[in-house]
Each structure stands twice: as C-alpha cells, then as structure tokens.
Amino acid sequence: MQLPINRRPVADYPQQLTESTCKLKAKFNLSGYKDVDKKKVVVGGMFPVHKRTSSSDGNTSRLPVSSGCEGFNFRTFRWTQTMLFAINEINGRTELLPNTDLGYVIYDSCFTISKAVEGTLTYLTGQDEAVPNYRCGGGAPLAALVGAGGSDLSIATARILGLYHFPQVSYSSTCSALENKFQFPTFLRTIPNDKHQSTAIAQLVLRFGWTWVGTIAADDDYGKYAIKDFTEQVENAGVCIAFSEVLPKVSSPEDIQRIVQTIVEDTAKIIVVFSSDVDLSPLIQELLQHNVTNRTWIASEAWVTSALINRPGVNTVLGGTLGFGVKRADIPGLERHLLDMDPYADPLTEEFWETLFNCTLNYSKAVRQARQRAVEGNATMPRAVRGVPDGLCTGEESIALLGNTYSDVSQLRITYSVYKAVYAVANALHNLEHCEDGQGPFVGGSCANISNFEPWQLMYYLKNVRFKVPHTDEEVYFEEGDVEGVYDIINWQVDGNGEISYVTVGNYNGSAAPEDRMTLRNDSIMWNDEGTEPPRSVCSENCQPGTRKGIRQGEPVCCFDCIPCADGEISNATNARACILCTYDEWSNEAHDACLPKIIEFLAFGEPLGITLIAISAFGALTTIAVGVVLLVNLGTPLVKANDALLSFSLLLSLVVTFLCSIVFLGEPQHWSCMTSQVGLALGFALCLSSIMGKTVVLMLRARVLKAARLRAKAAAKAAKEAAESAREAAESANNIIPDIIVTSSLNTDTNTCSDPEADRITCGHQRAIAAVATLIQAVACTVWLIILPPHPVENTSTQNIKIILECDEGSVIFICCIFGYDMILALLAFVFAFIARKLEDHFGEAKSVTFGMLVFFIVWISFVPAYLSTRGKFMVAVQIFAILASSFGLLTCIFLPKCYVLLLKPEQNREDMMKPRAKPRDGAYTGTSASLATAGTQLNNSIASTAIDD
C-alpha cells in the first residue's frame, strides 16, 4: 500500500506525553512513499526525486513550514521505483526473509541538505512530525536507511545516523571523505569510493599523454574531494592543471558565463568534470549556445549516463566524451514494474505522470487552464471543451511509447546500485533473523530479535554481510564500508542519426595489480573530431630527443621551452629534463640524441701529408749524406782544410739526425717515439749549433786580431808619412835640397800577425772541445728529463670536441723550455760570432754564409711559434716537422752550398792562392778570411812600407 506521507494522520501518541514533553518547532513538508502496516521490519529510503527546493516567501507570522520541491527528475524517480521493486521482490522470495515482510518509508531529499536532514529526523522519530532523540509510537523496528543521494546529502544524514549507531547504505554517495569511520561509523555504500575513480581518471589522462588539463567540480564535497585527489595524482606525475572551476549549487548565470569564457579562452583540450548531472546541466546548455566544440570531456559516474545531460544537440559539444560508469546490469521485471504505474496511486506518482505527459489528472485544474487559455486568446471556450478540457490526462497514456529516461533500462548503473543496497539490508536482516541462540555475535553468544532489534545489532550483520545479487551473481561484501572499485569506461559516440550512444570501450578494476587495473580498447574510441586518434592537450609540445625542457618563469611546469643540448651533450628521451654529458671518448652527433665515438686523429705514415713529409725528410738526409761524401772525397783540398773538417762532418751528422728524427714524429705516438723524437731533435740541434759555434768562435777571434793589426798598420803608415813630410820640409827650408829619405816601417815586429798567441789561442782541438762540451751538456739535460718526467703519449680530448688527438705530452714544460732554450742560446751565440766575423773577405765568405744560415734558422723558428699555436690536431705535428725541415735545409744550403759549388762546378778555384785575401778595398780597409790569415800580417807590413817609400 502506497500513501503520501504528508496526508497520513499523526501516529497515535499519548496526548499527555505530547503536551508535557514534545513541542512542535516546525512542520516538515516531505513527500514520498510509506508502507509500514503489518510489516515486521521497515527499511528507509531517501532519493532526490526533485532537483531543488522551491523558494520560500519568508513569512514569519505563521508556523514555519519547510519549502516544497520543484524540478522533477525522472532518472532519480526510477531509482525510487527500483527500491520499491526490490522490496516487493524480496517479500515474494522464499529463500530470503521467508518469515518477514519488509515495509518501507521513502522520502524525497529534493537534492538539498535541509530536506535530507528533515527526512532523517522524521524517519528516526517514526512519525510525520520529527521529535529528535525519540522514537515516537510503536510499530515495526527500523532497519537501515538506503540513501541519501549525493555525497553532501549522505554526509549530512550520516552524521545524524551515526549518533544513534543507525546503519546507512548509500547507492550513489562516492565522496572519499565518507570512508572515515571515526566521523561516519555506520556508513556503507554499494558504489565504489571516489578514490578509485580519481585514480582511474588520472591513469586515463596519463595513458594518453595529456599534460594540460582543465578541471570543473561541483561546489560540494563530492566535487571538491574528487578533484583534489585527481589533481594531486596527476600533478605528481607531471600533469598541469590549466584551470580549475567550481560549478555553483544555486543557479548563477554570471558564474556559468565566466566558466564558459575560461573554457573558450584556454588551450586545454581535456576537461575533467566531477559533478552531478543537476549541477552540470546549466553549463552544458550555455556551452551549446556558444557552440564550444573541440573539447574532450572526462565524465564522472554521476553524469556519464545521465539523460539530463544527454539531450538532443549535445553531440557537437559532448561527442567523444570518455567517462567511468559503475557496474551495469539487467534487472528482470524492473521494466514491467516501471511501466505499470497507477497515476492516481499517490501525489508523487501523479506529479510524475503530469510532468511526463505535460497534462493534469485534476479535472478542475484542467478546466481552469482551458479557460485561461481561452481568455488569453480572446475566444469563448467551446462546448466540447466544457466536457473534456484540453490538457486533461486520461490516465491511459503509454509510458513505453514516450521513450523517457525513466523507462530506459539500457544503462542500469546507479539503479543497479540501489538494487544491491536493498538486497544488502535484506541479507543482513536474513542473517540476523536466522541467528542461533548461543552462537550469536553478541554478549554470551546471544542473538538479536528480528521483531525488536537495535540498529547497532543490524550494523554488525551489515558490515559482515556477503551475498550474491540475484540475476547477476555478483558477490557483494564490504571492506571498511566500501565495495570494490570496478568501473566500465564509457565513450559517447554519435550514431548515424546524430544521437549519442554509450559504448563501453574498457574496464577498470581498482583491486587488481597496478599494471592490470585498466583495460582500454583504443581503436574502439570515437573522439570529438569523429576520428580514432586521441587529441593532444599540452601547454608546450614535447621536447624531442636532442633537446631538454627549459621551464618558463612564473608558468606551470608543463609550459616550457625546448632548449637544444650543448655540444658534447645528448638527450635520448622525449621531454628530457637535462642533457646527458657524453664520456671523454665520445661526442654528440648532429642531432644531439646519441653519443658517437670521437675520431682518433694523428699524423699517420700512410696519409698524403705523412708520405710527403717522409719524402722530404729522406731527401734532406740523403742530400746531407751526399754533401758529406763530396767533402770526404775532397778532404785534402785547400777549401776543405781551410776550416776544421771534423766540425764540418759533425755538422753534417747532426743535420742527418734532425732530418731523420722528424720522421719519428709521424705515426701513432708511443712511449719510445715520444722520447726519441723530442730528445733526438734536441741533441741533433745541440750538435749542429755547437759545431757552428765552434767554427764561428775562431772566425770571430781572428777577425778581432786582424782588425787590431789593421788599425796598428794604419797608425804606423800615417806616422811614417808625417815623419817623411816633416823631414822634407826641414831640408827644403835649410838647404833647399830634398834628401832621399828611407822610412823603415815600425810594423816589422808584426810581420806575422797570426803567429801572435792571441790569434791562435783557439786551435782545432778547442773548437772540437767547445762542440763536444756544448753537446754533452744537452745530453745530460735530456737524460735527466727522461729519468724524471719523460715525454709520453696522451689522448687530447680538449683541443677539438669531436676528435681525440693522439699526441706526445712533453712531461714537463720547464724541462722542454730549458732544453730547447739551451739550443736557442747556442744558436744565438753562433749567430753573434758569425755576425762579428762577417767582414772576413776572401773568395768564399764563410762567415757570411753562417750568418745567413742562422738568420734563416731564426726566421723559421720565430715563424713556427704563431703557426704552431694557431693549428690543432695532427697539423700541429706537421707544422713542427716543417719547421725542423726548413731550418735544417736552411743551414745545409747556406753553409755547404757554396763549398759544393766550388768543389763540384769550379774545382779550379780550389787552390791555395784562392784562399788568400782579395785586393785591398778603396777605403783602405783591409779584411781577410780564415784561409788567408796566416800571411795577412806580412803582406800588410810590406804594403805599408812600399807606400811610405813611394811617398
């Protein structure tokens, strides 16, 4: 039997008790269903049949009455009918509560907290007027409350019911806050906890690589807690929230417009929405008006299959939506129950019928409406209308033909959750009823009485209930008041008629292993552009390998610039946060996404440049040997004997060494080659320069002796001339007779100048000793160098990034500077000595040849320094070899080419007389060479004497 609550009389209650202890403070305006007569146990229910409460006039001059409700919701009305169907089905079963008939008290919460609280207090009181803390009247015991709709409503009711340890089983309250058993000790639910759904949506976002996501949440605990959990998970994984908006609970066009503007202006293509269909509906209508497309919506279970959202025309906005829906099931017999409605049974059903068919079951009301329409149309009401007015329901209308969401049983998800909640209470009652005395769970093994039990006793059985749902065989049990987090992944696909159809494209099981929780058939998804490729939603495009992410200051971490990796660094992954430095023997490729082995570089024997240098070196060595052979063949000739022949051969030997040691610089450096090349070069130049110095020191000393003799000769000649002229003048003045005056030169004591000990103090032995000692000093220094810090091969990775240059490390910069500095000192001394002796003139001018050769030597090595410093790699070795060869060829050519010319092409000039000095220059200056210095003094005296006699 179904009766409207607000029309039932107040339950019998002692008048005296009412007057003395109960005082009515307010009258609740509740609607719903009630059937408690002759029932052993009463089950409570609460459903948001209406969307909101109607506005109150605010009149305080009469007894306060709670507001009525408006905005009939066909979807939630189906939930209400499902509870009635389940109770009737249970009452008809023989295996479940066979001896107990269940009654029910169902209230409309109107989707508001105040109405939910009113219904809770009324339900606990047991009468239409609520008396807190009292159970007024007798009757069947109250079992549990199935409800109360949204999470906000359940939180409010759960706080009250928890005070009395009264069980509550929710079918749609998913908020994670309700898992707190300290605050909500008697709350259970047959719908998964939102923590599973938040994790599932986060995994979905990460699966498709969306890093720029917008969020919209209802302004209630359901939306706030779910979005908070989701945001924390995705942000920890590197996803950024582009915007976060809150849907108003009370309609606010300004807020809706602002949210739409945010969606339009933002670049995020993915929008996650945790909201009920009632709260989301105004936003969807506004989006339709603005034709906001090209967005993919991620739906929570509260609206993913809601007909309130899935209205005609939403396919352009919501097509391609992905969402998570709770388990779906078919409930046999439910559709027939929904269609077999008696429109006159109760006021709530009347309202449903009138709203569904847009008519009225009240004849008087239909007549009034017809008259009003006639007045508005300036016409008289026809006689026929007076009998059957327009807008009057016949009561025979077909619900099935209308195809309303109320009768749509294709997506029974929350409806199935209601069905399970009722069966959970029934199975708990069944276990309570069939408890055996002495084996019960309470004190002393006692059991509870099904006709008179306490709520906390039923709570024990509810917490531990385990049953299979009829028709589906799904096993239901509670763990800390929650069930398994199992969802279907639903895709909104547009069919050929332009209508939205719900297609299951995957599943999610929160109890499975993390890698197995989500199953998704990507090829079955139809996206908002009607394609099969998922949309991209990023603030910045992915940084490809070879680049790294550079965070923009003041912007989310998902907004970044892609900075190319520096040379020598790579990134081989997308969106790398940092580039990886290649190892010392590797270098980055052009794309900077891989490290490649560096090129090993050294001046090899077989390459063209190496072959050329070897050929030049060999030619220089052979030429030097050929010069030595020429000198050896002409060893007894005056030209070869004119200077120490042994020093000439040692000079040639050193040049052969320098020519050949340049070849050792080629090839891959080894320990022996590094030591041999540097030491051989140092010793070769030391022997060469010390031999030249030995030659030039003699030339310098003899040039000084000759110069002194020349000065004395000039002074003597001048004195003799002056004396002769004085004598002539005296004779002429005395006798006018010019006598024959014979002037005897005073230079007779210098007739053999070279026999002067000062001229011949440096003998050939001294020359050789100078060369030997100078070379020995260098040899000792090189030996110390090789013992303490010898040259060794190294891999130079710093000079050129892409190459490893194999070269010789000198071991000690100080040592090599000292050693080659010593060679430069020898060269400088040889040059100075040769330069001083440059005016020793004979037919060959050896001092001038040495001077010119040393100039070439200095020019080559001075030019070598900048050339060496400006080159890199193997060309540094080539420059060094070129300098060695050029300086060696310069010395060989300048010193020995004139002699070879005479020996080979002008042998007639290789005579003793050719070694004598040339004719005296006009300026009276007298010069000589080393070959003529032995007779220079005698010839000079004779010349001076003859000049005096002539005068």
Side-chain angles (χ1 to χ4, degrees):
M1 178 180 180
Q2 299 177 355
L3 293 175
I5 292 173
N6 54 357
R7 296 187 181 184
R8 289 182 58 83
V10 178
D12 295 336
Y13 199 77
Q15 184 67 25
Q16 183 178 0
L17 181 60
T18 303
E19 292 177 355
S20 61
T21 61
C22 298
K23 184 177 181 180
L24 187 63
K25 292 294 184 180
K27 186 175 180 60
F28 296 154
N29 184 16
L30 297 171
S31 61
Y33 296 98
K34 188 172 185 179
D35 183 10
V36 297
D37 293 340
K38 299 180 181 180
K39 303 299 181 181
K40 185 177 289 189
V41 180
V42 175
V43 180
M46 196 172 296
F47 297 89
V49 178
H50 290 84
K51 301 175 184 178
R52 55 191 171 271
T53 57
S54 56
S55 58
S56 174
D57 58 5
N59 191 340
T60 58
S61 62
R62 61 176 181 266
L63 182 67
V65 178
S66 64
S67 301
C69 300
E70 60 185 14
F72 200 90
N73 191 329
F74 295 107
R75 184 185 182 209
T76 55
F77 186 68
R78 187 208 315 139
W79 301 350
T80 308
Q81 292 299 319
T82 301
M83 181 174 177
L84 297 177
F85 169 77
I87 290 176
N88 292 334
E89 187 178 64
I90 291 168
N91 288 337
R93 287 184 175 272
T94 58
E95 75 281 2
L96 183 63
L97 294 174
N99 304 317
T100 301
D101 278 345
L102 297 179
Y104 51 83
V105 176
I106 300 175
Y107 294 112
D108 177 12
S109 68
C110 298
F111 205 64
T112 58
I113 294 176
S114 60
K115 283 293 181 182
V117 172
E118 291 177 7
T120 303
L121 293 174
T122 303
Y123 177 61
L124 290 174
T125 300
Q127 62 180 20
D128 293 343
E129 285 77 18
V131 183
N133 294 334
Y134 285 92
R135 169 69 175 166
C136 301
L142 303 179
L145 177 67
V146 176
S151 294
D152 267 9
L153 310 183
S154 288
I155 288 174
T157 57
R159 293 190 187 279
I160 297 173
L161 295 174
L163 296 175
Y164 306 106
H165 306 285
F166 199 96
Q168 177 183 357
V169 184
S170 177
Y171 51 85
S172 65
S173 300
T174 59
C175 180
S176 59
L178 287 164
E179 69 181 356
N180 188 333
K181 294 308 170 188
F182 180 77
Q183 297 187 55
F184 312 103
T186 61
F187 179 83
L188 304 98
R189 51 188 162 192
T190 56
I191 191 169
N193 189 330
D194 264 344
K195 67 180 182 182
H196 297 297
Q197 185 172 204
S198 297
T199 301
I201 295 180
Q203 287 192 15
L204 182 71
V205 168
L206 297 176
R207 185 187 186 102
F208 289 108
W210 298 323
T211 59
W212 192 236
V213 179
T215 62
I216 298 176
D219 191 14
D220 54 24
D221 291 325
Y222 166 68
K224 292 177 181 178
Y225 276 90
I227 284 295
K228 177 177 177 292
D229 291 344
F230 165 78
T231 302
E232 289 178 352
Q233 293 186 55
V234 295
E235 285 184 341
N236 289 337
V239 177
C240 297
I241 304 301
F243 61 85
S244 185
E245 295 291 341
V246 177
L247 290 171
K249 294 296 288 185
V250 179
S251 179
S252 173
E254 294 78 11
D255 289 341
I256 296 298
Q257 287 280 359
R258 176 182 52 79
I259 296 173
V260 171
Q261 191 67 22
T262 300
I263 295 172
V264 171
E265 293 177 354
D266 202 274
T267 58
K269 303 300 181 184
I270 307 299
I271 303 174
V272 178
V273 181
F274 277 95
S275 172
S276 66
D277 52 357
V278 175
D279 293 333
L280 182 60
S281 180
L283 176 62
I284 299 302
Q285 293 303 316
E286 193 68 25
L287 292 171
L288 281 171
Q289 293 181 11
H290 286 78
N291 193 27
V292 179
T293 58
N294 196 27
R295 302 291 189 278
T296 297
W297 299 79
I298 308 300
S300 64
E301 97 296 335
W303 66 275
V304 68
T305 56
S306 172
L308 186 62
I309 302 300
N310 186 9
R311 293 180 177 180
V314 298
N315 58 310
T316 57
V317 175
L318 298 179
T321 293
L322 278 176
F324 289 80
V326 296
K327 276 187 178 180
R328 174 192 170 278
D330 294 324
I331 304 176
L334 177 60
E335 184 177 16
R336 175 52 50 194
H337 172 83
L338 297 175
L339 297 177
D340 292 343
M341 295 288 292
D342 180 5
Y344 301 101
D346 54 80
L348 196 58
T349 307
E350 288 181 12
E351 184 183 359
F352 158 73
W353 199 273
E354 291 176 349
T355 305
L356 181 62
F357 294 106
N358 193 24
C359 62
T360 179
L361 292 167
N362 190 309
Y363 179 81
S364 300
K365 183 178 179 181
V367 171
R368 287 195 304 271
Q369 290 175 348
R371 287 176 178 174
Q372 184 177 359
R373 287 194 296 270
V375 171
E376 291 174 355
N378 295 324
T380 58
M381 188 171 62
R383 184 178 300 273
V385 174
R386 296 173 187 175
V388 182
D390 293 337
L392 180 65
C393 298
T394 64
E396 300 297 330
E397 290 83 1
S398 174
I399 299 175
L401 293 178
L402 198 60
N404 184 270
T405 183
Y406 164 77
S407 58
D408 183 6
V409 294
S410 62
Q411 293 291 329
L412 300 181
R413 297 182 185 276
I414 305 296
T415 302
Y416 180 52
S417 184
V418 173
Y419 188 73
K420 290 188 290 185
V422 176
Y423 266 90
V425 175
N427 278 274
L429 287 170
H430 182 85
N431 295 338
L432 183 149
E433 183 180 25
H434 291 81
C435 174
E436 297 181 5
D437 289 335
Q439 299 181 1
F442 307 116
V443 178
S446 61
C447 296
N449 185 355
I450 189 65
S451 300
N452 186 20
F453 60 87
E454 295 296 330
W456 59 268
Q457 293 176 316
L458 178 61
M459 185 65 197
Y460 168 82
Y461 287 100
L462 267 174
K463 287 171 61 177
N464 296 283
V465 73
R466 196 179 191 102
F467 66 97
K468 288 188 176 181
V469 182
H471 315 300
T472 65
D473 286 335
E474 178 190 352
E475 189 174 30
V476 177
Y477 57 93
F478 298 105
E479 290 185 358
E480 296 298 323
D482 286 332
V483 294
E484 289 182 328
V486 178
Y487 299 89
D488 291 334
I489 302 177
I490 300 171
N491 182 216
W492 289 29
Q493 298 186 5
V494 182
D495 59 19
N497 298 324
E499 296 180 355
I500 295 291
S501 60
Y502 306 121
V503 179
T504 300
V505 294
N507 305 97
Y508 180 86
N509 186 352
S511 302
E515 63 275 9
D516 299 328
R517 289 178 181 175
M518 182 175 290
T519 303
L520 192 62
R521 298 182 295 277
N522 292 357
D523 54 349
S524 300
I525 301 174
M526 187 67 68
W527 300 98
N528 56 348
D529 58 354
E530 298 185 2
T532 57
E533 289 297 322
R536 290 184 55 78
S537 183
V538 295
C539 181
S540 300
E541 290 297 329
N542 290 333
C543 289
Q544 298 303 316
T547 61
R548 65 174 179 84
K549 293 167 64 174
I551 303 301
R552 299 174 185 170
Q553 293 296 329
E555 297 188 29
V557 295
C558 297
C559 301
F560 50 82
D561 296 317
C562 295
I563 302 174
C565 291
D567 290 339
E569 296 181 348
I570 66 163
S571 63
N572 52 12
T574 303
N575 288 333
R577 294 187 178 273
C579 295
I580 304 171
L581 184 65
C582 293
T583 58
Y584 82 97
D585 59 345
E586 293 181 326
W587 193 250
S588 57
N589 60 359
E590 186 175 355
H592 292 275
D593 58 1
C595 289
L596 302 179
K598 287 184 178 181
I599 301 172
I600 305 297
E601 182 179 90
F602 58 89
L603 189 56
F605 293 103
E607 60 181 290
L609 181 58
I611 294 173
T612 302
L613 294 175
I614 291 174
I616 296 173
S617 300
F619 174 75
L622 293 175
T623 302
T624 305
I625 293 172
V627 171
V629 171
V630 171
L631 294 181
L632 185 63
V633 171
N634 298 276
L635 185 62
T637 63
L639 181 60
V640 177
K641 293 190 301 181
N643 211 328
D644 193 347
L646 184 59
L647 287 181
S648 297
F649 285 115
S650 67
L651 177 58
L652 290 173
L653 175 63
S654 66
L655 290 177
V656 172
V657 172
T658 57
F659 278 122
L660 294 180
C661 78
S662 62
I663 300 177
V664 185
F665 282 89
L666 300 174
E668 182 177 350
Q670 305 290 336
H671 283 280
W672 69 268
S673 63
C674 288
M675 292 188 291
T676 302
S677 60
Q678 298 293 347
V679 173
L681 180 63
L683 290 176
F685 274 132
L687 179 59
C688 173
L689 297 171
S690 61
S691 298
I692 294 173
M693 188 177 67
K695 284 176 171 289
T696 56
V697 69
V698 173
L699 295 176
M700 179 198 69
L701 292 176
R702 289 180 177 175
R704 288 179 59 189
V705 170
L706 185 59
K707 181 178 180 180
R710 185 173 67 246
L711 291 175
R712 286 194 299 268
K714 284 185 177 181
K718 184 177 180 181
K721 184 176 181 180
E722 290 177 352
E725 289 188 359
S726 297
R728 183 181 296 120
E729 290 176 356
E732 288 179 353
S733 61
N735 301 318
N736 291 323
I737 299 174
I738 303 174
D740 293 333
I741 300 174
I742 299 174
V743 180
T744 303
S745 175
S746 62
L747 295 177
N748 286 337
T749 57
D750 297 328
T751 54
N752 194 358
T753 306
C754 277
S755 63
D756 192 325
E758 183 181 2
D760 290 332
R761 83 171 94 183
I762 302 292
T763 63
C764 293
H766 291 111
Q767 290 178 278
R768 298 167 187 173
I770 290 172
V773 170
T775 306
L776 182 62
I777 293 173
Q778 184 72 296
V780 172
C782 290
T783 302
V784 175
W785 181 23
L786 293 178
I787 294 174
I788 297 177
L789 291 170
H792 56 276
V794 294
E795 296 180 349
N796 185 347
T797 60
S798 60
T799 302
Q800 295 190 31
N801 294 329
I802 63 174
K803 296 179 180 179
I804 296 178
I805 302 172
L806 300 183
E807 60 185 15
C808 291
D809 186 345
E810 293 79 6
S812 172
V813 176
I814 296 177
F815 266 114
I816 195 168
C817 289
C818 292
I819 287 173
F820 285 99
Y822 177 76
D823 284 342
M824 291 299 105
I825 292 174
L826 294 179
L828 186 61
L829 290 174
F831 172 73
V832 171
F833 293 160
F835 183 79
I836 293 174
R838 72 189 184 281
K839 291 186 178 181
L840 289 175
E841 292 291 346
D842 59 9
H843 291 280
F844 305 105
E846 186 173 13
K848 287 186 177 180
S849 298
V850 172
T851 302
F852 188 70
M854 295 310 301
L855 285 175
V856 172
F857 183 86
F858 282 120
I859 290 172
V860 168
W861 286 104
I862 291 173
S863 302
F864 160 78
V865 174
Y868 184 81
L869 296 177
S870 62
T871 54
R872 294 290 182 269
K874 62 184 180 182
F875 296 104
M876 296 179 71
V877 178
V879 169
Q880 190 172 5
I881 295 175
F882 274 123
I884 296 170
L885 296 178
S887 59
S888 300
F889 273 113
L891 293 174
L892 178 66
T893 303
C894 293
I895 295 176
F896 291 100
L897 181 63
K899 294 184 179 181
C900 291
Y901 175 77
V902 172
L903 294 174
L904 297 177
L905 300 179
K906 299 290 183 177
E908 66 276 7
Q909 295 182 6
N910 189 7
R911 304 189 308 271
E912 186 69 31
D913 59 331
M914 295 299 295
M915 303 299 111
K916 296 180 180 180
R918 298 178 184 180
K920 178 184 176 181
R922 291 182 179 180
D923 58 359
Y926 185 83
T927 59
T929 67
S930 59
S932 60
L933 285 177
T935 59
T938 303
Q939 293 175 354
L940 181 60
N941 273 333
N942 295 336
S943 176
I944 294 172
S946 63
T947 302
I949 293 173
D950 292 339
D951 291 338

